[in-house]
Amino acid sequence: MKENTPPGIELNLGKELAYIIVLPKALDAISQKQRRRIKSNASILYEKLLGLKNSLDDLFITTSKKNTEEYQYQLYKKIITEKLILNIASGKTSEIKQNIEQIMKEENLRFIEREESQISAEEKFLIKTDFQGLSHYPSQEQFSPVFQRYIKTQNKNENKHTLSPHNYNLEEIPAWKYFKQFPSFVERSQIFKLALAEFNIHKQDIKNLNSYDLIALLKNYSIKHKLPPFENSKMKFIKFFIKHHEQELRNYYQVNKLVIIQAYRNKGLNFNFDENPNAYQDFVERSISQMKEFGYVPPLFNIHHKYPVKDCKSEKNLSLANAPSNLCLILQSPYHQMMHLFDTNILGKTIFNRKVKRLELPQELIFFGGFDKNFQIYHKPKEEYRETILTFIKQKKQRN
């Protein structure tokens, strides 16, 4: 290890460790809210980045023999990363974004252009609710005028009529055409009827209710009657993932201990990984246990929609946005942040058919822990949940 190598950097993980240190700083430098903080610490940051720059030879090409094709390839990636470091130190934000894009392309991430669909706010809200559960409550202005009137008169006599839940036909609610695309909502059809009856909604008024009204009714009824938690698509995906890929995830944690620890350091955390020899293994076991039991996303990770929610306009297939085949567990910083860095509009023919630039991940990818294929996990062909977002794309093309 060179004398200028910053503390905590080991050589055996090479470029992945370099990326996990450099790319979060690059993303911070691009972010408007982070620029002031970076500027105030510019001299300290410059020294750290300069030390890292001097370590890149060791980090990128120690295992490659000179004058080989592999050596030239790693040398090129090292030069791109070196340029990125220099641009971070000098604050050249436009060049930083170009450097990141170049790195991603060299690491075999594909960029594509497609027409952005005009998904409505209601559709997007239902996809989000199906994905995250009932944690988000609609705002007052999102409610329909009819429902707002019922809220105001809830404790007055004008609401005191009684209807049995079986008197309600959910098909008469225009918004139900969105809800019935999601198995999680269809399973709660009876609860929706019970909530409508308990809130004393007149039968003739249900045709004026919107999606936000129904979600509010569902959440209020669930809280009042202490119903079991809404098992959302995010929880189902995590349980599905750990059921089929536990050993692969354990292998990832074992091989990438230094990457995970560095990811914690990027957040200003440590968890005594250095002082306590059992701390890291305890952290791994706790993470996996919570994935199995509760469907919790493990620390430092997030879930990425490979085919973006904003592109999932489809009257019959909204729920496919949250299908396990369209979801990917991903290291939040820097990789998930990078996936959305290039969600930019490219001018199309009309404002209604805007071209958008997207990153395209392999359909079988279910876990992204780094650019190296060894840090990624893929679906197995024999697994359950066979519906894929490719079906959605095919059907969408047929309708168009």
Side-chain angles (χ1 to χ4, degrees):
M1 184 179 294
K2 291 185 177 180
E3 185 178 344
N4 290 327
T5 302
I9 295 180
E10 303 290 343
L11 303 182
N12 57 337
L13 287 175
K15 66 170 187 179
E16 290 295 334
L17 198 51
Y19 286 150
I20 205 74
I21 298 170
V22 177
L23 290 173
K25 290 182 171 58
L27 292 165
D28 282 348
I30 293 174
S31 172
Q32 184 72 35
K33 62 184 179 182
Q34 296 288 351
R35 289 178 191 171
R36 186 176 300 174
R37 181 180 61 81
I38 288 175
K39 188 174 182 180
S40 64
N41 297 323
S43 60
I44 299 173
L45 177 62
Y46 181 81
E47 291 299 323
K48 288 183 178 179
L49 290 170
L50 195 60
L52 181 58
K53 174 180 171 293
N54 293 334
S55 304
L56 292 184
D57 275 336
D58 290 335
L59 289 167
F60 272 82
I61 55 182
T62 51
T63 60
S64 302
K65 294 182 180 180
K66 288 189 176 182
N67 301 322
T68 63
E69 186 175 334
E70 176 65 18
Y71 176 85
Q72 295 298 325
Y73 187 49
Q74 296 299 339
L75 179 63
Y76 181 60
K77 291 182 182 179
K78 175 248 180 184
I79 292 171
I80 296 174
T81 308
E82 189 175 78
K83 288 181 179 178
L84 175 60
I85 289 173
L86 293 174
N87 285 326
I88 296 171
S90 58
K92 296 179 180 178
T93 54
S94 59
E95 285 84 350
I96 290 171
K97 192 169 182 178
Q98 291 175 6
N99 294 151
I100 294 175
E101 182 173 0
Q102 196 174 5
I103 287 173
M104 296 172 86
K105 287 179 177 178
E106 288 304 317
E107 295 296 345
N108 300 313
L109 291 183
R110 291 183 56 207
F111 287 88
I112 61 172
E113 292 181 19
R114 70 163 63 100
E115 287 188 0
E116 184 178 37
S117 58
Q118 300 298 309
I119 189 168
S120 71
E122 271 188 83
E123 292 170 305
K124 192 172 181 180
F125 182 80
L126 287 184
I127 292 173
K128 185 176 182 180
T129 302
D130 175 68
F131 181 67
Q132 296 185 337
L134 298 172
S135 56
H136 295 279
Y137 194 81
S139 59
Q140 185 75 20
E141 58 271 17
Q142 290 176 313
F143 294 138
S144 67
V146 167
F147 193 64
Q148 290 187 32
R149 189 184 75 234
Y150 271 96
I151 293 174
K152 291 178 182 177
T153 61
Q154 187 176 6
N155 298 318
K156 297 181 180 179
N157 290 331
E158 47 262 60
N159 273 3
K160 298 303 179 184
H161 75 288
T162 303
L163 272 180
S164 174
H166 75 264
N167 291 130
Y168 292 100
N169 179 6
L170 297 178
E171 294 292 340
E172 295 177 7
I173 307 175
W176 189 251
K177 68 180 180 181
Y178 300 131
F179 280 82
K180 66 183 181 181
Q181 298 171 37
F182 298 88
S184 59
F185 294 135
V186 174
E187 291 168 3
R188 290 166 174 76
S189 298
Q190 185 61 21
I191 299 177
F192 280 108
K193 293 180 181 181
L194 289 167
L196 287 165
E198 186 170 273
F199 210 72
N200 287 311
I201 305 289
H202 287 274
K203 192 172 183 295
Q204 64 268 26
D205 285 334
I206 67 172
K207 65 180 181 297
N208 296 313
L209 299 178
N210 64 27
S211 300
Y212 306 109
D213 304 336
L214 292 179
I215 290 297
L217 285 167
L218 176 61
K219 181 166 184 175
N220 291 338
Y221 187 89
S222 299
I223 292 174
K224 181 177 179 180
H225 296 277
K226 299 180 180 179
L227 299 183
F230 186 109
E231 188 172 47
N232 53 57
S233 294
K234 178 168 64 173
M235 296 164 65
K236 291 177 182 177
F237 168 74
I238 291 297
K239 290 181 178 181
F240 165 74
F241 171 82
I242 199 62
K243 175 183 176 181
H244 294 284
H245 299 287
E246 178 179 349
Q247 190 55 53
E248 292 161 286
L249 181 62
R250 287 184 179 279
N251 293 342
Y252 171 84
Y253 275 128
Q254 182 179 353
V255 173
N256 293 280
K257 179 178 178 180
L258 295 174
V259 166
I260 296 297
I261 290 175
Q262 184 60 47
Y264 260 109
R265 287 175 177 158
N266 289 345
K267 296 183 68 173
L269 303 171
N270 189 2
F271 275 56
N272 298 319
F273 288 148
D274 296 328
E275 295 84 1
N276 182 355
N278 298 319
Y280 185 75
Q281 192 57 40
D282 291 344
F283 155 75
V284 171
E285 295 302 328
R286 186 167 57 254
S287 299
I288 291 176
S289 174
Q290 292 181 339
M291 292 173 76
K292 288 180 178 179
E293 186 174 356
F294 304 112
Y296 287 171
V297 178
L300 304 176
F301 285 86
N302 209 327
I303 297 177
H304 176 66
H305 286 79
K306 291 180 284 187
Y307 197 91
V309 168
K310 63 181 71 176
D311 292 346
C312 284
K313 172 68 174 178
S314 166
E315 290 189 357
K316 295 182 180 178
N317 294 281
L318 291 178
S319 65
L320 284 179
N322 295 331
S325 53
N326 190 44
L327 302 177
C328 179
L329 189 61
I330 187 169
L331 201 61
Q332 169 65 15
S333 177
Y335 301 117
H336 193 217
Q337 293 171 306
M338 288 170 56
M339 297 298 167
H340 293 289
L341 182 61
F342 298 93
D343 287 353
T344 54
N345 292 325
I346 301 170
L347 292 179
K349 294 181 180 179
T350 70
I351 192 170
F352 300 108
N353 295 300
R354 297 181 300 175
K355 292 287 185 180
V356 291
K357 185 177 184 177
R358 298 282 192 246
L359 273 166
E360 187 174 53
L361 295 178
Q363 182 57 43
E364 300 80 14
L365 185 67
I366 194 172
F367 178 89
F368 191 100
F371 290 118
D372 195 294
K373 292 290 184 183
N374 294 317
F375 303 156
Q376 300 169 13
I377 301 174
Y378 289 79
H379 280 298
K380 297 172 184 175
K382 63 181 180 180
E383 285 175 352
E384 57 196 75
Y385 290 102
R386 295 297 295 169
E387 79 268 49
T388 68
I389 206 66
L390 292 178
T391 303
F392 162 70
I393 296 170
K394 181 179 178 181
Q395 292 173 351
K396 186 171 185 293
K397 285 181 178 178
Q398 289 173 346
R399 284 193 301 276
N400 292 339

